[in-house]
Amino acid sequence: MTDRIKEFLARHPEDGPRLVVDLDIVRDNYASFAKALPDTRVFYAVKANPAPEILDLLARLGSCFDCASAPEIEQALAAGAAPERISFGNTIKKERDIARAFALGVRLYAVDCEAEVEKIARAAPGSRVFCRILCDGAGAEWPLSRKFGCAPEMAARVLERAHALGLVAHGLSFHVGSQQRDPRMWDGALKVSAAIFRDLAERGIELTMLNLGGGFPTRYLKDVAPVRAYGRAIFRALRRHFGNRIPETIIEPGRGMVGNAGIIEAEVVLISKKADSDENRWVYLDIGKFNGLAETMDEMIRYPIRTEFDEDELSPCVLAGPSCDSVDVLYEKDPYLLPVSLEIGAKVLIEGTGAYTTTYSSVGFNGFAPLKSYVI
Ligand SMILES: *Cc1c(COP(=O)(O)O)cnc(C)c1O
């Protein structure tokens, strides 16, 4: 909780829920990434929070942008990023959208199969492509499964095909899973990457870029290592596997750039029990899975929640959202401890909510408005 957010909430009381993002924290986070990985360019993952004020600030600071769609590319351009600072990092793109990105000047594209390479060769001729390899996501609180990337042995073929079709086989990418709590998890992917670099070099294709993805954590209830620990572990792994021929590297932080910059103010709508013998109270907030807290899915992300009564005795609560959908329960398998004195109508502050909240909020399920956002 920053003083600026505290003041803003006090000066502008309002019916919520609402997210407030402090740009000073985003600026600090950018500086920490730049310092922790000094030879690495930052491509902010726009999907984490595309608020124009955030994109404007990062563009001014010199950040590049990882975009997943044509509208995200337009948002990055509107913030003042030149097209050379934008990558189209989604491996699943309509050919029409590739053509649109190409017309807007974007020349850097992610792929993970030959069919996507063929689309890019047709719609964005001569561009640079990087191939995403599968990563198992072990150690991550929000793993990214098998949806993106291909097996290492396939990556070499995909890039060879790109080369043959007149594209620039630029490099590789991977994502170690979001909210990755173990800085050593980059090592395995870098080992595999180095082998692909060598393999392709033998076939006359010199890759020059390594995209280290996102995954940098933000602090929720559990402590996380500082970004400099990640920088050190990654640099050591690069040295181990690439020796003194370390390629150009980029990172794509999303959560780590904006997560801790935002706080949601929400309100307790109801507190009840399901039976006299019920050990847990049910606490219903005016925010749930559909208007900002989608990452509580499977209770994966556990946000710190502050109340005015935090000094008081705590008791286990099932925490739920306001909508009439039974999946709109935030924490039940592992009940959340909240003060016994918490009252209906009380405000609560949900910390670490700068990333993946507004963008995961529905347009109005059950008539609940999308999450309001203020960037200060
Ligand atoms: C979502 C995404 C990111 C950002 O991941 P974080 O874990 O939030 O840092 C980076 N790269 C790609 C390709 C993504 O899809």
Side-chain angles (χ1 to χ4, degrees), residues 327-348:
V327 307
D328 193 9
V329 174
L330 308 178
Y331 305 117
E332 181 175 20
K333 278 183 281 184
D334 189 2
Y336 203 100
L337 290 173
L338 287 170
V340 289
S341 46
L342 187 67
E343 291 164 355
I344 293 173
K347 297 282 192 196
V348 301

Side-chain angles (χ1 to χ4, degrees), residues 172-232:
L172 296 174
S173 75
F174 55 82
H175 194 302
V176 295
S178 203
Q179 188 68 7
Q180 175 55 259
R181 303 191 63 238
D182 185 351
R184 293 167 307 182
M185 287 310 295
W186 273 260
D187 188 80
L190 287 172
K191 180 175 182 197
V192 169
S193 300
I196 300 171
F197 267 61
R198 281 194 299 273
D199 183 22
L200 278 171
E202 279 167 20
R203 303 191 219 173
I205 298 174
E206 297 285 342
L207 302 181
T208 57
M209 192 277 289
L210 201 48
N211 177 342
L212 308 167
F216 304 93
T218 199
R219 190 177 186 288
Y220 296 113
L221 279 175
K222 289 183 221 150
D223 261 331
V224 294
V227 65
R228 84 187 114 74
Y230 284 77
R232 269 201 304 269

Side-chain angles (χ1 to χ4, degrees), residues 124-326:
S127 292
R128 289 173 295 162
V129 295
F130 54 91
C131 185
R132 181 154 168 181
I133 52 175
L134 277 169
C135 222
D136 72 2
E141 290 186 5
W142 187 262
L144 297 172
S145 80
R146 292 177 49 79
K147 180 168 172 185
F148 308 103
C150 63
E153 56 281 10
M154 198 166 155
R157 221 165 54 228
V158 167
L159 287 168
E160 254 188 325
R161 179 94 181 118
H163 181 74
L165 291 176
L167 298 167
V168 178
H170 191 44
L172 296 174
S173 75
F174 55 82
H175 194 302
V176 295
S178 203
Q179 188 68 7
Q180 175 55 259
R181 303 191 63 238
D182 185 351
R184 293 167 307 182
M185 287 310 295
W186 273 260
D187 188 80
L190 287 172
K191 180 175 182 197
V192 169
S193 300
I196 300 171
F197 267 61
R198 281 194 299 273
D199 183 22
L200 278 171
E202 279 167 20
R203 303 191 219 173
I205 298 174
E206 297 285 342
L207 302 181
T208 57
M209 192 277 289
L210 201 48
N211 177 342
L212 308 167
F216 304 93
T218 199
R219 190 177 186 288
Y220 296 113
L221 279 175
K222 289 183 221 150
D223 261 331
V224 294
V227 65
R228 84 187 114 74
Y230 284 77
R232 269 201 304 269
I234 289 172
F235 184 71
R236 249 185 265 126
L238 280 166
R239 270 267 174 269
R240 189 173 310 129
H241 302 299
F242 287 88
N244 50 18
R245 301 191 58 195
I246 295 177
E248 176 199 336
T249 51
I250 70 178
I251 51 169
E252 301 174 328
R255 190 186 303 282
M257 187 70 82
V258 291
N260 65 340
I263 287 201
I264 287 172
E265 183 190 61
E267 183 179 325
V268 177
V269 180
L270 181 66
I271 302 175
S272 64
K273 283 194 168 187
K274 299 292 166 193
D276 292 334
S277 58
D278 202 347
E279 279 173 22
N280 297 325
R281 289 177 300 155
W282 281 67
V283 174
Y284 300 89
L285 302 177
D286 60 357
I287 188 166
K289 280 206 166 74
F290 298 103
N291 58 346
L293 302 182
E295 287 204 310
T296 57
M297 203 183 294
D298 294 330
E299 308 195 14
M300 278 197 270
I301 298 293
R302 217 166 158 82
Y303 295 105
I305 300 175
R306 308 271 168 243
T307 77
E308 284 173 56
F309 313 95
D310 285 346
E311 311 297 306
D312 300 348
E313 189 195 335
L314 304 175
S315 79
C317 300
V318 176
L319 205 63
S323 70
C324 290
D325 190 310
S326 54

Side-chain angles (χ1 to χ4, degrees), residues 41-45 64-66 85-87 108 250-253:
R41 276 197 304 163
V42 174
F43 281 65
Y44 171 59
C64 301
F65 296 89
D66 168 45
R85 284 162 64 191
I86 294 173
S87 73
L108 182 58
I250 70 178
I251 51 169
E252 301 174 328

